[in-house]
Amino acid sequence: MNFTHPFRDEDGDKLREECGVFGAIGTKDASAVTALGLHALQHRGQEAAGISSFDGTNFFTRRGLGHVVDNFSGEDALAELPGFMAAGHVRYSTTGGAGLRNVQPLHADLASGGFAVAHNGNISNAQTLREDLVKRGAIFQSTSDTEVIIHLVATSRYPTLIDRFVDALRLVEGAYSLIVMTPEGMIACRDPLGIRPLVMGRMGDAVLFASESVAFDVAGAEFIRQVEPGELVQVDHDGEIRSMHPFGKHPSRPCIFEHVYFSRPDSVFDGRSVYAARKAIGEQLAIEAPCDVDLVIPVPDSGVPAAIGYAQQSGLPFELGIIRSHYVGRTFIQPSDSARHSGVRRKHNANRGLVEGKKIVLIDDSIVRGTTSMKIVEMMRDAGASEVHFRVASPPTAHSCFYGVDTPERNKLLAAQMDLEPMRQFIKADSLAFVSIDGLYRAVGSEPRDPKCPQYCDACFTGDYPTSLTDLTRREDEAAQLPFDKVA
């Protein structure tokens, strides 16, 4: 299954999903298994891919811009990555920006030996830590926040590598799922709140880790369990597994947007089928925001499961009123500005014979800037729809994410600038409604949101950030001290 998210290339009107990580230890084809796993996680990062391997003596790394298939499809590429342990990464740039030097896994030779790390998430005090490390003599090779972890491990004074690693993570704020390779074996860990996902599997004698369970399906492995929030799992080359919780117990706050959009629908997240959760969100949306229409139409592809749930709950026909082209790639040549602005129509076309003269409701997973929603509504009206209503399978996205998701600045989020009625007017729909935050919680199998102790990280909807945001606070304080004419 090639699960892709439309529109993002034209105007950034979808949230970009952090990154994806995969690791395998205890199999002679570790790099090949890792490449398969990364292919299943391609939707989590389409900017770059990398794999590092270890053969018992040496570390090997191959990294490149583009998709997994662009970099690891041939036998020659995998031949460069021998060994029985490998870790891989697919990337969107969050902290640090684009460029080959920021492609992971990152590798360094420490006093204890090689150290390769793949990171999904974002360190929210990375800049502060980095400045301190530079003052102490550290020399950085990338602008990635992940490299901060390597330097913290290298400069820790604890005697063992695992203690230095834990010491480093105690200084880190934010969200992370990490897969680390050392000469002694593999370490997988998840931040104390479990904001970013990480799961564990088996394939024969091999132990695997991945951002999503679907990677095990594609690799032919068995899903065992999720790595618990704050858990650190060590696997040595004899296959012995040790688990520890060095950060104590905290109420978990996994990212609820994994259910809404990030994870593939054929994955299991937080113990629940993502597909089932998205259908349930659509059902809840139909209960909260019914619509007197002829047809329920998903905005492909991410709106499909919610639209099915909406249609089933409301008793309305589900139809594919928008047909998506699967052959428009990221590198499509743009001969002119007018062609570039026609991106929605290149990827999507209204099924005119179906929607003409009909009242329709469009179901999408989210609205970010709103520009794509406006274009889709306009396209359906041009195809002859008599009424175009819009329903959204998440609450309004009114706040930026600082945990590894590439969200626009808050002043570019439509819901941060407008109330519901101005938003409706902006996208030019006949009506607009979002699922409530309590409805979203119910749909994913939880109790209604507890404002004193939320069960998920839902900061993009509520502004309730579960950790300190040191770097952001510093930037805001510095901006407040500037003269008015110097503030960007």
Side-chain angles (χ1 to χ4, degrees):
M1 177 179 181
N2 183 20
F3 181 68
T4 58
H5 297 308
F7 309 133
R8 66 163 65 88
D9 299 326
E10 276 72 29
D11 57 9
D13 204 20
K14 287 288 183 182
L15 301 185
R16 290 184 172 183
E17 321 85 318
E18 331 111 33
C19 301
V21 295
F22 188 95
I25 179 171
T27 173
K28 64 179 181 179
D29 300 320
S31 59
V33 172
T34 299
L36 281 173
L38 291 181
H39 182 73
L41 300 174
Q42 186 73 83
H43 59 286
R44 299 186 74 90
Q46 299 179 42
E47 180 181 283
I51 296 176
S52 293
S53 69
F54 179 69
D55 69 355
T57 304
N58 297 309
F59 284 82
F60 305 87
T61 298
R62 180 184 174 96
R63 301 178 295 167
L65 302 179
H67 291 181
V68 176
V69 69
D70 298 329
N71 294 286
F72 302 104
S73 60
E75 292 183 4
D76 291 344
L78 296 176
E80 297 178 13
L81 298 164
F84 42 82
M85 179 171 67
H89 189 269
V90 288
R91 182 174 193 267
Y92 272 125
S93 58
T94 51
T95 297
L100 191 58
R101 66 175 175 162
N102 289 326
V103 179
Q104 298 184 33
L106 298 183
H107 175 265
D109 289 311
L110 306 184
S112 56
F115 188 92
V117 57
H119 170 209
N120 168 211
N122 196 59
I123 307 305
S124 58
N125 63 336
Q127 187 60 36
T128 301
L129 291 171
R130 183 188 183 98
E131 290 175 5
D132 180 63
L133 286 162
V134 169
K135 289 176 182 177
R136 291 157 52 192
I139 300 174
F140 281 77
Q141 302 300 313
S142 75
T143 55
S144 168
D145 60 333
T146 308
E147 192 178 356
V148 168
I149 296 173
I150 296 176
H151 284 278
L152 291 174
V153 174
T155 56
S156 172
R157 296 182 179 275
Y158 279 83
T160 68
L161 176 62
I162 194 66
D163 287 339
R164 292 198 295 274
F165 185 51
V166 171
D167 182 41
L169 294 182
R170 290 189 192 280
L171 300 175
V172 162
E173 296 173 0
Y176 55 82
S177 286
L178 297 167
I179 296 176
V180 174
M181 296 196 306
T182 75
E184 286 73 40
M186 181 168 283
I187 306 169
C189 66
R190 197 171 171 202
D191 63 76
L193 300 181
I195 299 173
R196 297 270 66 87
L198 192 64
V199 291
M200 181 177 177
R202 272 200 177 275
M203 187 178 65
D205 294 331
V207 178
L208 312 180
F209 298 96
S211 293
E212 293 184 35
S213 63
V214 69
F216 299 151
D217 298 336
V218 172
E222 176 188 5
F223 170 78
I224 301 299
R225 65 176 179 88
Q226 72 172 0
V227 176
E228 296 297 325
E231 183 182 14
L232 189 152
V233 181
Q234 298 173 263
V235 186
D236 66 21
H237 296 304
D238 294 324
E240 183 180 348
I241 301 172
R242 293 186 296 276
S243 171
M244 59 188 294
H245 288 80
F247 312 112
K249 291 287 186 179
H250 303 268
S252 64
R253 295 282 297 272
C255 172
I256 201 167
F257 219 83
E258 293 284 346
H259 278 308
V260 173
Y261 177 74
F262 293 145
S263 292
R264 266 179 48 158
D266 44 349
S267 281
V268 174
F269 174 68
D270 202 32
R272 182 169 172 81
S273 159
V274 174
Y275 179 79
R278 288 179 187 167
K279 277 188 64 179
I281 297 170
E283 293 167 3
Q284 183 67 31
L285 184 58
I287 293 169
E288 294 182 1
C291 202
D292 180 18
V293 295
D294 302 311
L295 301 174
V296 177
I297 293 175
V299 177
D301 284 328
S302 53
V304 171
I308 293 172
Y310 192 100
Q312 291 178 349
Q313 176 65 37
S314 59
L316 294 167
F318 168 91
E319 296 286 357
L320 297 180
I322 302 172
I323 307 301
R324 185 171 79 86
S325 170
H326 291 261
Y327 304 101
V328 179
R330 289 161 50 91
T331 57
F332 184 86
I333 296 172
Q334 306 282 9
S336 65
D337 286 343
S338 62
R340 180 160 49 251
H341 294 313
S342 70
V344 168
R345 293 183 184 274
R346 287 192 291 104
K347 288 190 173 183
H348 295 79
N349 190 47
N351 192 348
R352 181 179 292 272
L354 180 70
V355 305
E356 192 168 16
K358 299 291 200 311
K359 297 184 292 182
I360 66 171
V361 58
L362 296 169
I363 311 293
D364 205 357
D365 62 274
S366 60
I367 292 179
V368 181
R369 300 174 189 262
T371 50
T372 293
S373 303
M374 177 177 62
K375 293 172 187 176
I376 289 289
V377 169
E378 180 184 20
M379 182 174 70
M380 303 313 286
R381 291 199 191 281
D382 290 346
S386 60
E387 294 180 17
V388 182
H389 302 265
F390 213 100
R391 297 292 181 269
V392 186
S394 64
T397 304
H399 303 271
S400 298
C401 176
F402 300 97
Y403 300 119
V405 180
D406 187 16
T407 52
E409 295 175 2
R410 192 171 183 227
N411 61 11
K412 296 179 181 177
L413 295 171
L414 191 67
Q417 306 303 314
M418 300 180 183
D419 293 329
L420 186 64
E421 175 57 19
M423 290 176 70
R424 181 199 68 78
Q425 294 175 10
F426 180 84
I427 70 170
K428 302 177 182 178
D430 290 288
S431 71
L432 172 66
F434 297 78
V435 74
S436 68
I437 188 69
D438 283 343
L440 177 59
Y441 269 62
R442 292 189 191 96
V444 301
S446 183
E447 296 295 320
R449 185 181 190 273
D450 180 355
K452 295 182 179 179
C453 185
Q455 303 92 307
Y456 288 90
C457 179
D458 53 25
C460 55
F461 306 132
T462 65
D464 184 358
Y465 295 100
T467 74
S468 299
L469 300 173
T470 297
D471 289 347
L472 175 67
T473 302
R474 282 185 58 196
R475 290 195 298 270
E476 291 177 340
D477 289 345
E478 290 168 359
Q481 295 173 14
L482 291 173
F484 180 76
D485 60 351
K486 299 294 185 182
V487 178

